[in-house]
Amino acid sequence: YFNLSHDLFCIASDDGYFKRINSAWSEKLGYTIEELMAKPYLEFLHPDDLQDTEEKRQALLVGTNIVNFENRYICKDGSICWLLWSATPAHHGLIYAVAYDITDRKAAEIELLDINIAMKNAVEGIAKIDIGNRYLSVNKSYADLYGYAIEELIMASAEDCIYREDHGKWQLCYQDMLVTGKAEVELLGQRKDGALFHQQMTMVRVTDINDKFTGYYVFNKDITARKEVEASLQQSEARFHQLAS
């Protein structure tokens, strides 16, 4: 099992060298097993992780078990491999450990963080809403659009921000989103102080891996200025026709 496992198994000595490793190490990092055992394993680490790793190594040497410790190894091609460790001290100064490659998970976490940062700073209003039409999260642009603080909207009803006479439009858009996955509508929004404004709203359905509906995103923007220009043009056109007739 030691040699057949895709996880990275190792036995290390108290002098900082690998004494035994399985073939998964070579597959993940690109070095031969001989290369990995010829130098202290700290030499394969990312420089920013040296101190934390050495502290964990010292803890192991005095009998402390280590679980869920993350560090980065530098592969032979220069790429980074994130590892999640569990290790236990054994007799005669040996350390038994297993590491799991979490590089893809870390990349996903970074991507998610980038998305969250983008959402928070987007000019367009963005909200995530649950199946009960309650706000789970909103960015600052969304809260500002309605005149609320972000925390005031969390778990509030999304329909409270819609002018009551436009609830029918909102419901039609919601039902269309459930069927097609995405729907758009123009309607009146209502701010905290009761003021009304024209908004363009896009709803995007969210589902889990089993395609079960779990909520939706709303993207909206204030189109009041555009509506005022359209109304002005319509009035001008109407006056032109009156004069022409």
Side-chain angles (χ1 to χ4, degrees):
Y1 180 79
F2 187 93
N3 287 318
L4 294 176
S5 176
H6 293 294
D7 298 324
L8 286 73
F9 285 89
C10 69
I11 301 173
S13 59
D14 56 7
D15 61 0
Y17 282 79
F18 290 127
K19 291 302 181 184
R20 186 182 178 192
I21 56 176
N22 64 344
S23 58
W25 281 92
S26 182
E27 295 168 4
K28 293 292 183 184
L29 302 184
Y31 299 97
T32 65
I33 289 178
E34 291 74 21
E35 287 175 320
L36 289 164
M37 296 179 65
K39 296 190 295 186
Y41 52 77
L42 291 178
E43 293 191 21
F44 297 99
L45 280 172
H46 189 286
D48 292 343
D49 293 342
L50 285 171
Q51 182 176 342
D52 287 345
T53 302
E54 176 59 19
E55 290 176 358
K56 292 297 187 292
R57 189 179 78 88
Q58 293 297 328
L60 282 162
L61 294 177
V62 296
T64 303
N65 290 324
I66 300 297
V67 294
N68 297 330
F69 172 64
E70 298 177 3
N71 64 9
R72 288 164 288 181
Y73 273 67
I74 301 175
C75 300
K76 193 168 187 177
D77 63 5
S79 61
I80 299 297
C81 180
W82 278 91
L83 297 179
L84 178 67
W85 288 89
S86 292
T88 184
H91 300 295
H92 310 300
L94 295 178
I95 296 169
Y96 287 75
V98 58
Y100 308 96
D101 181 359
I102 58 169
T103 306
D104 290 343
R105 193 193 81 185
K106 297 299 287 189
E109 289 175 357
I110 292 170
E111 182 179 1
L112 182 59
L113 178 61
D114 288 343
I115 292 172
N116 286 335
I117 291 172
M119 286 182 61
K120 288 179 181 177
N121 293 283
V123 174
E124 189 175 48
I126 305 174
K128 186 175 183 181
I129 302 172
D130 67 12
I131 59 175
N133 295 318
R134 294 180 297 269
Y135 291 113
L136 296 176
S137 64
V138 301
N139 68 349
K140 188 175 186 299
S141 295
Y142 192 98
D144 289 347
L145 190 60
Y146 293 102
Y148 290 93
I150 291 175
E151 57 271 16
E152 290 181 297
L153 286 176
I154 303 305
M155 298 312 294
S157 172
E159 293 179 84
D160 290 344
C161 293
I162 306 301
Y163 180 50
R164 62 181 181 277
E165 293 188 11
D166 277 356
H167 277 194
K169 290 183 181 180
W170 185 91
Q171 283 289 346
L172 287 174
C173 183
Y174 178 82
Q175 293 301 324
D176 191 20
M177 175 268 296
L178 292 178
V179 174
T180 66
K182 178 182 178 181
E184 295 184 1
V185 66
E186 292 182 2
L187 42 68
L188 288 173
Q190 185 162 356
R191 295 191 170 95
K192 184 179 179 179
D193 62 6
L196 302 179
F197 67 98
H198 292 278
Q199 65 173 332
Q200 182 180 44
M201 177 179 291
T202 303
M203 298 182 184
V204 179
R205 186 182 63 203
V206 178
T207 57
D208 62 17
I209 58 174
N210 297 313
D211 202 33
K212 180 181 178 182
F213 176 59
T214 59
Y216 57 104
Y217 280 100
V218 167
F219 303 84
N220 68 356
K221 56 185 176 181
D222 188 340
I223 59 170
T224 302
R226 193 196 81 191
K227 287 292 189 180
E228 290 175 348
V229 170
E230 290 175 355
S232 178
L233 289 173
Q234 289 172 357
Q235 291 173 0
S236 297
E237 185 177 1
R239 285 197 298 269
F240 173 79
H241 286 303
Q242 286 177 350
L243 292 171
S245 62

